[in-house]
Amino acid sequence: TGSGKSSLVHLIPRFYDATEGRVLIDGVDVRDVSQEALRRNIGIVLQETILFSGTIRENICYGRPEATEDEIFAAAKAAQAHDFISEFPEGYDTQLGQRGINLSGGQKQRIALARCLMQDTAILVLDDPISQGDLETGTDIIDPIKNMAGSRTIIIVSHRLSAVRFADHIITLEKGRILESGSHMDLLEA
């Protein structure tokens, strides 16, 4: 806690700009790209999940209102949300209260992840996607994310090893500085 993980990932979509150094994506400084173009190519699920008043369906396809039913279901299934959504009497047409107040923390995170997946962005940033206590295990969310990585860059911020052990590269921060860096095996050996 407080090591700078969230602050670091907030530099990628330019929620604020670096005061020193540069943030590069494919060798291009993010400050040389318009915020609109940059954010159109980055999907983000923040630790503090944001949902809107409206239906679950509207929340999932926010930003892509033309999405088909099959695409909405596929995104919800990938985010491990389809089963609990289907249990609601009105399913995907269930009305959400302000900020999704009628859902648990884990359910909100999974709907936010489904919304993010609908965007099909090149970069996916997940700020502690398994922080909510009602998720049975980290694999509820992480396994589907692993399976859809493909050519996408996925950046995961987490306190839990189960969320990052499959990563190609892991960076451990302490007090705003990189403490360790490498694959899971590299870090175990160190």
Side-chain angles (χ1 to χ4, degrees), residues 82-102:
H82 179 74
D83 290 345
F84 80 79
I85 293 170
S86 298
E87 291 175 5
F88 291 129
E90 295 183 34
Y92 284 80
D93 294 318
T94 299
Q95 287 287 327
L96 298 181
Q98 186 76 16
R99 301 178 63 94
I101 197 162
N102 46 335

Side-chain angles (χ1 to χ4, degrees), residues 19-34:
T19 55
E20 293 180 30
R22 301 179 300 158
V23 176
L24 305 175
I25 297 176
D26 290 336
V28 177
D29 191 316
V30 295
R31 292 174 290 198
D32 294 338
V33 179
S34 74

